[in-house]
Amino acid sequence: MRRSEPMPGRVSALAASLVALVLSLHGPARAEPWVRHTIDASSRGADGVRLGDCDGDGLPDIVTGWEQGGVVRICFHPGEGRVRSAWPGVTVGRAPDVEDAVFADLDSDGRPDVVSCCEGGAKTVFAHWAPGGGGAAPRAAAGWTTEPFPVTEEREAWMYALPAQIDGAGGIDLFVGSKGPDASVSWLQSPLDGDARDLSKWRLHRLYEAGWIMSLEGEDFDGDGDLDLLVSDRKGSGAGVLWLENPGAASAAQRGAWEEHRIGASGEEVMFLRRHDFDSDGLTDIACATREGHLTLFRRLPGGGVRFAERRIANPAGLRHGKSLAFGDLDLDGAADLATSCRPDAAGQSCVHWQAFRWPPAEPPPAPFDLGGPEGSKFDLIELIDLDGDGDLDLLTCEEAANLGVFWYENPARQ
């Protein structure tokens, strides 16, 4: 080989550098916001996006509660070539003041049903039963029926539900959280005789006295094989991030106590949280948005017990009121990035951003990039998911105040 010819290793390094340069010029790092595609704008007050495959086609569908519209709707993924237009959808039922909706196969028939949580005057958790049959059956509004869980009726301002197998028996159970007077984290126990369709047989077990529940996530923190519960509590004397220790399936079934373990952010107005392994050590770490001008990061410490070290990073663009966050490789460099949504402090501010994320966090933090532009102000959960099948992660969310509805921002990394 002549001396002037590059060595193979140098060629690889040069190619990698060129790829990085191209992505920096044309990928998601560019300054302009990503293109927004509306999925559903048929009602008012879209309040959350939860994912599941409702029609069995292998593509992610979306269920959303529309708070001001008082309806629960499913949007069906239309196929990768048609995701940039409005998606086909169905209203599965009415739910006044609905705050959350999630897929859950309550009766174990292989067809996802929907559970909705309502606050306001309703203060009830509802089951929306899927129609029988396969194929296009879930898309027929006439096939869906709605019933309240009697034990939840007019009881608490329900905010969030998490389907989970808790007692090791019967069908799927539900963790539920609420806000305001007499708020709680509780669990709804599916009937042990398997008759989940008889909602009068479901039992409610109170686990924790709450202020305002934002997030419920399942995680086996103590490694004993059962599902513990990670919680962000926004208000009250217990505000902060904590986990509740599952006493074991047999004890849980007998209404055994779940021990409370505080993680941190005590007294802070915490919002949605995410689990993510910051340092790739195999341990689950936690990040939580707050309305205190920063995100709070909890790195799980190695060794015995369940211990966390807490630190903060500033919200992007100096915004005070954080809302949601998600981790994913947005610029295709092989490392996770951080996407966030916030509430604006003044009219015209951009609320959805992304930035590089490394552990330990850099000081000062990396510059954030405006992902969403100035439209919208009250965003909910954000999900990073490749909706158009082009190999990069798009951002899915909804917006309640400006009635942007349910939509996704298209990652330009592959363009």
Side-chain angles (χ1 to χ4, degrees), residues 182-217:
D182 300 319
S184 73
V185 173
S186 299
W187 70 281
L188 273 166
Q189 184 180 21
S190 182
L192 297 180
D193 65 3
D195 188 11
R197 281 269 181 170
D198 185 350
L199 295 184
S200 69
K201 294 182 178 180
W202 288 68
R203 296 292 177 258
L204 185 70
H205 307 304
R206 196 174 181 93
L207 304 180
Y208 165 79
E209 306 299 317
W212 183 333
I213 296 304
M214 291 297 296
S215 289
L216 301 174
E217 295 285 344

mmCIF file of all heavy atoms in Angstrom, residues 182-217:
data_model
loop_
_atom_site.group_PDB
_atom_site.id
_atom_site.type_symbol
_atom_site.label_atom_id
_atom_site.label_comp_id
_atom_site.label_asym_id
_atom_site.label_seq_id
_atom_site.Cartn_x
_atom_site.Cartn_y
_atom_site.Cartn_z
ATOM 1 N N ASP A 182 -58.413 13.825 50.465
ATOM 2 C CA ASP A 182 -58.535 12.369 50.564
ATOM 3 C C ASP A 182 -57.872 11.635 49.399
ATOM 4 O O ASP A 182 -58.226 10.490 49.094
ATOM 5 C CB ASP A 182 -60.007 11.940 50.667
ATOM 6 C CG ASP A 182 -60.708 12.523 51.879
ATOM 7 O OD1 ASP A 182 -60.087 12.553 52.963
ATOM 8 O OD2 ASP A 182 -61.857 12.980 51.737
ATOM 9 N N ALA A 183 -56.901 12.275 48.748
ATOM 10 C CA ALA A 183 -56.223 11.637 47.621
ATOM 11 C C ALA A 183 -55.383 10.456 48.097
ATOM 12 O O ALA A 183 -54.953 10.393 49.255
ATOM 13 C CB ALA A 183 -55.350 12.645 46.888
ATOM 14 N N SER A 184 -55.123 9.536 47.162
ATOM 15 C CA SER A 184 -54.384 8.333 47.520
ATOM 16 C C SER A 184 -53.634 7.780 46.326
ATOM 17 O O SER A 184 -53.886 8.144 45.176
ATOM 18 C CB SER A 184 -55.351 7.253 48.029
ATOM 19 O OG SER A 184 -56.108 6.715 46.948
ATOM 20 N N VAL A 185 -52.704 6.857 46.607
ATOM 21 C CA VAL A 185 -52.327 5.810 45.673
ATOM 22 C C VAL A 185 -53.003 4.552 46.185
ATOM 23 O O VAL A 185 -52.871 4.186 47.357
ATOM 24 C CB VAL A 185 -50.806 5.612 45.608
ATOM 25 C CG1 VAL A 185 -50.473 4.393 44.748
ATOM 26 C CG2 VAL A 185 -50.117 6.845 45.066
ATOM 27 N N SER A 186 -53.767 3.902 45.326
ATOM 28 C CA SER A 186 -54.508 2.697 45.697
ATOM 29 C C SER A 186 -54.327 1.651 44.614
ATOM 30 O O SER A 186 -53.729 1.922 43.566
ATOM 31 C CB SER A 186 -55.999 3.015 45.866
ATOM 32 O OG SER A 186 -56.231 3.974 46.881
ATOM 33 N N TRP A 187 -54.830 0.442 44.869
ATOM 34 C CA TRP A 187 -54.884 -0.518 43.774
ATOM 35 C C TRP A 187 -56.239 -1.179 43.716
ATOM 36 O O TRP A 187 -56.879 -1.434 44.734
ATOM 37 C CB TRP A 187 -53.751 -1.521 43.827
ATOM 38 C CG TRP A 187 -53.730 -2.558 44.910
ATOM 39 C CD1 TRP A 187 -53.346 -2.389 46.197
ATOM 40 C CD2 TRP A 187 -54.046 -3.952 44.783
ATOM 41 N NE1 TRP A 187 -53.412 -3.571 46.887
ATOM 42 C CE2 TRP A 187 -53.832 -4.553 46.040
ATOM 43 C CE3 TRP A 187 -54.486 -4.743 43.724
ATOM 44 C CZ2 TRP A 187 -54.048 -5.908 46.282
ATOM 45 C CZ3 TRP A 187 -54.703 -6.101 43.953
ATOM 46 C CH2 TRP A 187 -54.476 -6.666 45.214
ATOM 47 N N LEU A 188 -56.677 -1.363 42.473
ATOM 48 C CA LEU A 188 -57.940 -2.022 42.182
ATOM 49 C C LEU A 188 -57.660 -3.495 41.916
ATOM 50 O O LEU A 188 -56.938 -3.844 40.969
ATOM 51 C CB LEU A 188 -58.605 -1.384 40.960
ATOM 52 C CG LEU A 188 -59.501 -0.174 41.200
ATOM 53 C CD1 LEU A 188 -59.803 0.539 39.885
ATOM 54 C CD2 LEU A 188 -60.798 -0.591 41.881
ATOM 55 N N GLN A 189 -58.228 -4.350 42.744
ATOM 56 C CA GLN A 189 -57.983 -5.783 42.660
ATOM 57 C C GLN A 189 -59.034 -6.456 41.792
ATOM 58 O O GLN A 189 -60.236 -6.378 42.059
ATOM 59 C CB GLN A 189 -57.986 -6.393 44.058
ATOM 60 C CG GLN A 189 -57.644 -7.870 44.093
ATOM 61 C CD GLN A 189 -57.653 -8.421 45.514
ATOM 62 O OE1 GLN A 189 -58.255 -7.844 46.413
ATOM 63 N NE2 GLN A 189 -56.979 -9.542 45.719
ATOM 64 N N SER A 190 -58.552 -7.129 40.749
ATOM 65 C CA SER A 190 -59.440 -7.886 39.876
ATOM 66 C C SER A 190 -60.039 -9.058 40.646
ATOM 67 O O SER A 190 -59.386 -9.646 41.511
ATOM 68 C CB SER A 190 -58.655 -8.398 38.666
ATOM 69 O OG SER A 190 -59.486 -9.098 37.776
ATOM 70 N N PRO A 191 -61.288 -9.422 40.360
ATOM 71 C CA PRO A 191 -61.935 -10.516 41.096
ATOM 72 C C PRO A 191 -61.145 -11.817 41.007
ATOM 73 O O PRO A 191 -60.686 -12.212 39.927
ATOM 74 C CB PRO A 191 -63.298 -10.650 40.418
ATOM 75 C CG PRO A 191 -63.541 -9.327 39.787
ATOM 76 C CD PRO A 191 -62.204 -8.808 39.381
ATOM 77 N N LEU A 192 -60.986 -12.490 42.149
ATOM 78 C CA LEU A 192 -60.222 -13.730 42.190
ATOM 79 C C LEU A 192 -60.944 -14.871 41.489
ATOM 80 O O LEU A 192 -60.315 -15.871 41.118
ATOM 81 C CB LEU A 192 -59.925 -14.100 43.644
ATOM 82 C CG LEU A 192 -59.056 -13.090 44.413
ATOM 83 C CD1 LEU A 192 -58.820 -13.561 45.835
ATOM 84 C CD2 LEU A 192 -57.732 -12.855 43.694
ATOM 85 N N ASP A 193 -62.254 -14.736 41.287
ATOM 86 C CA ASP A 193 -62.984 -15.794 40.581
ATOM 87 C C ASP A 193 -62.907 -15.639 39.069
ATOM 88 O O ASP A 193 -63.496 -16.431 38.329
ATOM 89 C CB ASP A 193 -64.446 -15.840 41.038
ATOM 90 C CG ASP A 193 -65.237 -14.578 40.671
ATOM 91 O OD1 ASP A 193 -64.681 -13.682 40.004
ATOM 92 O OD2 ASP A 193 -66.416 -14.491 41.078
ATOM 93 N N GLY A 194 -62.185 -14.616 38.603
ATOM 94 C CA GLY A 194 -61.990 -14.427 37.172
ATOM 95 C C GLY A 194 -63.098 -13.691 36.463
ATOM 96 O O GLY A 194 -62.999 -13.438 35.258
ATOM 97 N N ASP A 195 -64.135 -13.292 37.177
ATOM 98 C CA ASP A 195 -65.273 -12.621 36.550
ATOM 99 C C ASP A 195 -65.036 -11.115 36.525
ATOM 100 O O ASP A 195 -65.733 -10.338 37.169
ATOM 101 C CB ASP A 195 -66.557 -12.958 37.312
ATOM 102 C CG ASP A 195 -67.804 -12.461 36.601
ATOM 103 O OD1 ASP A 195 -67.698 -12.051 35.423
ATOM 104 O OD2 ASP A 195 -68.884 -12.454 37.231
ATOM 105 N N ALA A 196 -64.018 -10.698 35.747
ATOM 106 C CA ALA A 196 -63.626 -9.283 35.722
ATOM 107 C C ALA A 196 -64.697 -8.396 35.113
ATOM 108 O O ALA A 196 -64.719 -7.183 35.369
ATOM 109 C CB ALA A 196 -62.316 -9.122 34.952
ATOM 110 N N ARG A 197 -65.590 -8.967 34.329
ATOM 111 C CA ARG A 197 -66.652 -8.164 33.707
ATOM 112 C C ARG A 197 -67.670 -7.657 34.727
ATOM 113 O O ARG A 197 -68.364 -6.680 34.462
ATOM 114 C CB ARG A 197 -67.366 -9.009 32.652
ATOM 115 C CG ARG A 197 -66.619 -9.129 31.345
ATOM 116 C CD ARG A 197 -67.033 -8.014 30.403
ATOM 117 N NE ARG A 197 -66.371 -8.084 29.126
ATOM 118 C CZ ARG A 197 -66.711 -7.333 28.076
ATOM 119 N NH1 ARG A 197 -67.718 -6.481 28.176
ATOM 120 N NH2 ARG A 197 -66.063 -7.416 26.949
ATOM 121 N N ASP A 198 -67.737 -8.307 35.868
ATOM 122 C CA ASP A 198 -68.620 -7.837 36.930
ATOM 123 C C ASP A 198 -67.849 -6.832 37.779
ATOM 124 O O ASP A 198 -67.145 -7.188 38.726
ATOM 125 C CB ASP A 198 -69.101 -9.004 37.793
ATOM 126 C CG ASP A 198 -70.131 -8.578 38.833
ATOM 127 O OD1 ASP A 198 -70.337 -7.351 39.016
ATOM 128 O OD2 ASP A 198 -70.712 -9.467 39.480
ATOM 129 N N LEU A 199 -67.977 -5.557 37.429
ATOM 130 C CA LEU A 199 -67.169 -4.532 38.081
ATOM 131 C C LEU A 199 -67.525 -4.347 39.549
ATOM 132 O O LEU A 199 -66.756 -3.753 40.305
ATOM 133 C CB LEU A 199 -67.306 -3.207 37.323
ATOM 134 C CG LEU A 199 -66.749 -3.211 35.887
ATOM 135 C CD1 LEU A 199 -66.854 -1.814 35.276
ATOM 136 C CD2 LEU A 199 -65.304 -3.686 35.856
ATOM 137 N N SER A 200 -68.670 -4.851 39.977
ATOM 138 C CA SER A 200 -69.019 -4.756 41.398
ATOM 139 C C SER A 200 -68.127 -5.644 42.254
ATOM 140 O O SER A 200 -68.077 -5.486 43.483
ATOM 141 C CB SER A 200 -70.489 -5.142 41.607
ATOM 142 O OG SER A 200 -70.687 -6.532 41.371
ATOM 143 N N LYS A 201 -67.417 -6.578 41.630
ATOM 144 C CA LYS A 201 -66.537 -7.478 42.380
ATOM 145 C C LYS A 201 -65.126 -6.924 42.562
ATOM 146 O O LYS A 201 -64.334 -7.520 43.306
ATOM 147 C CB LYS A 201 -66.472 -8.833 41.674
ATOM 148 C CG LYS A 201 -67.786 -9.597 41.663
ATOM 149 C CD LYS A 201 -67.616 -10.943 40.979
ATOM 150 C CE LYS A 201 -68.904 -11.745 40.999
ATOM 151 N NZ LYS A 201 -68.722 -13.073 40.330
ATOM 152 N N TRP A 202 -64.785 -5.851 41.880
ATOM 153 C CA TRP A 202 -63.455 -5.273 42.039
ATOM 154 C C TRP A 202 -63.348 -4.603 43.408
ATOM 155 O O TRP A 202 -64.292 -3.974 43.877
ATOM 156 C CB TRP A 202 -63.170 -4.260 40.933
ATOM 157 C CG TRP A 202 -62.927 -4.878 39.583
ATOM 158 C CD1 TRP A 202 -63.832 -5.534 38.801
ATOM 159 C CD2 TRP A 202 -61.692 -4.899 38.858
ATOM 160 N NE1 TRP A 202 -63.246 -5.955 37.630
ATOM 161 C CE2 TRP A 202 -61.936 -5.576 37.639
ATOM 162 C CE3 TRP A 202 -60.423 -4.389 39.110
ATOM 163 C CZ2 TRP A 202 -60.942 -5.765 36.681
ATOM 164 C CZ3 TRP A 202 -59.435 -4.574 38.162
ATOM 165 C CH2 TRP A 202 -59.689 -5.260 36.959
ATOM 166 N N ARG A 203 -62.174 -4.713 44.056
ATOM 167 C CA ARG A 203 -61.952 -4.153 45.384
ATOM 168 C C ARG A 203 -60.847 -3.107 45.331
ATOM 169 O O ARG A 203 -59.863 -3.260 44.603
ATOM 170 C CB ARG A 203 -61.574 -5.258 46.376
ATOM 171 C CG ARG A 203 -62.699 -6.275 46.590
ATOM 172 C CD ARG A 203 -63.871 -5.619 47.321
ATOM 173 N NE ARG A 203 -64.997 -6.548 47.468
ATOM 174 C CZ ARG A 203 -66.085 -6.523 46.715
ATOM 175 N NH1 ARG A 203 -66.194 -5.635 45.714
ATOM 176 N NH2 ARG A 203 -67.065 -7.375 46.913
ATOM 177 N N LEU A 204 -60.999 -2.051 46.126
ATOM 178 C CA LEU A 204 -60.050 -0.943 46.158
ATOM 179 C C LEU A 204 -59.263 -0.993 47.469
ATOM 180 O O LEU A 204 -59.854 -1.015 48.553
ATOM 181 C CB LEU A 204 -60.791 0.393 46.039
ATOM 182 C CG LEU A 204 -59.928 1.647 45.936
ATOM 183 C CD1 LEU A 204 -59.210 1.691 44.587
ATOM 184 C CD2 LEU A 204 -60.778 2.906 46.119
ATOM 185 N N HIS A 205 -57.923 -0.996 47.358
ATOM 186 C CA HIS A 205 -57.053 -1.055 48.527
ATOM 187 C C HIS A 205 -56.174 0.196 48.560
ATOM 188 O O HIS A 205 -55.423 0.456 47.614
ATOM 189 C CB HIS A 205 -56.172 -2.299 48.480
ATOM 190 C CG HIS A 205 -56.942 -3.570 48.286
ATOM 191 N ND1 HIS A 205 -57.967 -3.960 49.119
ATOM 192 C CD2 HIS A 205 -56.842 -4.535 47.331
ATOM 193 C CE1 HIS A 205 -58.455 -5.118 48.713
ATOM 194 N NE2 HIS A 205 -57.801 -5.479 47.615
ATOM 195 N N ARG A 206 -56.246 0.933 49.617
ATOM 196 C CA ARG A 206 -55.524 2.195 49.762
ATOM 197 C C ARG A 206 -54.091 1.911 50.237
ATOM 198 O O ARG A 206 -53.881 1.202 51.223
ATOM 199 C CB ARG A 206 -56.265 3.075 50.752
ATOM 200 C CG ARG A 206 -55.899 4.539 50.747
ATOM 201 C CD ARG A 206 -56.833 5.295 51.694
ATOM 202 N NE ARG A 206 -56.548 6.718 51.721
ATOM 203 C CZ ARG A 206 -57.150 7.608 50.954
ATOM 204 N NH1 ARG A 206 -58.075 7.205 50.096
ATOM 205 N NH2 ARG A 206 -56.841 8.890 51.031
ATOM 206 N N LEU A 207 -53.098 2.501 49.538
ATOM 207 C CA LEU A 207 -51.698 2.248 49.846
ATOM 208 C C LEU A 207 -50.971 3.439 50.457
ATOM 209 O O LEU A 207 -50.050 3.265 51.250
ATOM 210 C CB LEU A 207 -50.943 1.827 48.574
ATOM 211 C CG LEU A 207 -51.467 0.620 47.807
ATOM 212 C CD1 LEU A 207 -50.593 0.361 46.591
ATOM 213 C CD2 LEU A 207 -51.505 -0.603 48.712
ATOM 214 N N TYR A 208 -51.350 4.658 50.069
ATOM 215 C CA TYR A 208 -50.534 5.840 50.397
ATOM 216 C C TYR A 208 -51.426 7.066 50.385
ATOM 217 O O TYR A 208 -52.272 7.216 49.489
ATOM 218 C CB TYR A 208 -49.400 5.952 49.363
ATOM 219 C CG TYR A 208 -48.675 7.276 49.305
ATOM 220 C CD1 TYR A 208 -47.699 7.592 50.250
ATOM 221 C CD2 TYR A 208 -48.941 8.201 48.302
ATOM 222 C CE1 TYR A 208 -47.028 8.806 50.184
ATOM 223 C CE2 TYR A 208 -48.282 9.410 48.229
ATOM 224 C CZ TYR A 208 -47.313 9.710 49.175
ATOM 225 O OH TYR A 208 -46.656 10.904 49.118
ATOM 226 N N GLU A 209 -51.258 7.940 51.373
ATOM 227 C CA GLU A 209 -52.008 9.197 51.443
ATOM 228 C C GLU A 209 -51.296 10.227 50.576
ATOM 229 O O GLU A 209 -50.153 10.608 50.872
ATOM 230 C CB GLU A 209 -52.102 9.688 52.887
ATOM 231 C CG GLU A 209 -52.679 8.664 53.860
ATOM 232 C CD GLU A 209 -54.098 8.264 53.509
ATOM 233 O OE1 GLU A 209 -54.904 9.159 53.171
ATOM 234 O OE2 GLU A 209 -54.404 7.056 53.566
ATOM 235 N N ALA A 210 -51.960 10.687 49.530
ATOM 236 C CA ALA A 210 -51.304 11.488 48.501
ATOM 237 C C ALA A 210 -51.763 12.936 48.522
ATOM 238 O O ALA A 210 -52.768 13.298 49.154
ATOM 239 C CB ALA A 210 -51.568 10.880 47.123
ATOM 240 N N GLY A 211 -51.018 13.774 47.774
ATOM 241 C CA GLY A 211 -51.417 15.159 47.538
ATOM 242 C C GLY A 211 -51.949 15.345 46.121
ATOM 243 O O GLY A 211 -53.066 15.793 45.907
ATOM 244 N N TRP A 212 -51.106 14.975 45.142
ATOM 245 C CA TRP A 212 -51.490 15.093 43.723
ATOM 246 C C TRP A 212 -50.563 14.168 42.940
ATOM 247 O O TRP A 212 -49.409 14.501 42.692
ATOM 248 C CB TRP A 212 -51.344 16.537 43.258
ATOM 249 C CG TRP A 212 -51.760 16.822 41.841
ATOM 250 C CD1 TRP A 212 -51.770 15.972 40.788
ATOM 251 C CD2 TRP A 212 -52.197 18.082 41.313
ATOM 252 N NE1 TRP A 212 -52.180 16.599 39.642
ATOM 253 C CE2 TRP A 212 -52.457 17.908 39.940
ATOM 254 C CE3 TRP A 212 -52.388 19.346 41.873
ATOM 255 C CZ2 TRP A 212 -52.889 18.943 39.121
ATOM 256 C CZ3 TRP A 212 -52.818 20.375 41.055
ATOM 257 C CH2 TRP A 212 -53.075 20.176 39.700
ATOM 258 N N ILE A 213 -51.055 13.014 42.567
ATOM 259 C CA ILE A 213 -50.225 12.024 41.889
ATOM 260 C C ILE A 213 -50.063 12.393 40.414
ATOM 261 O O ILE A 213 -51.041 12.632 39.711
ATOM 262 C CB ILE A 213 -50.840 10.621 42.032
ATOM 263 C CG1 ILE A 213 -50.849 10.198 43.490
ATOM 264 C CG2 ILE A 213 -50.090 9.613 41.169
ATOM 265 C CD1 ILE A 213 -49.486 10.214 44.163
ATOM 266 N N MET A 214 -48.800 12.386 39.966
ATOM 267 C CA MET A 214 -48.483 12.636 38.560
ATOM 268 C C MET A 214 -48.079 11.366 37.827
ATOM 269 O O MET A 214 -48.552 11.089 36.732
ATOM 270 C CB MET A 214 -47.360 13.676 38.457
ATOM 271 C CG MET A 214 -47.770 15.077 38.876
ATOM 272 S SD MET A 214 -49.064 15.804 37.827
ATOM 273 C CE MET A 214 -48.238 15.919 36.243
ATOM 274 N N SER A 215 -47.168 10.576 38.420
ATOM 275 C CA SER A 215 -46.657 9.379 37.747
ATOM 276 C C SER A 215 -46.786 8.159 38.645
ATOM 277 O O SER A 215 -46.577 8.245 39.862
ATOM 278 C CB SER A 215 -45.178 9.548 37.378
ATOM 279 O OG SER A 215 -44.994 10.457 36.333
ATOM 280 N N LEU A 216 -47.078 7.017 38.023
ATOM 281 C CA LEU A 216 -47.008 5.702 38.644
ATOM 282 C C LEU A 216 -46.251 4.792 37.677
ATOM 283 O O LEU A 216 -46.650 4.653 36.525
ATOM 284 C CB LEU A 216 -48.405 5.135 38.910
ATOM 285 C CG LEU A 216 -49.338 5.939 39.820
ATOM 286 C CD1 LEU A 216 -50.728 5.304 39.840
ATOM 287 C CD2 LEU A 216 -48.784 6.030 41.241
ATOM 288 N N GLU A 217 -45.153 4.208 38.134
ATOM 289 C CA GLU A 217 -44.354 3.321 37.295
ATOM 290 C C GLU A 217 -43.992 2.076 38.094
ATOM 291 O O GLU A 217 -43.603 2.171 39.266
ATOM 292 C CB GLU A 217 -43.064 4.019 36.836
ATOM 293 C CG GLU A 217 -43.276 5.213 35.927
ATOM 294 C CD GLU A 217 -43.653 4.827 34.515
ATOM 295 O OE1 GLU A 217 -43.448 3.644 34.160
ATOM 296 O OE2 GLU A 217 -44.143 5.683 33.773
#
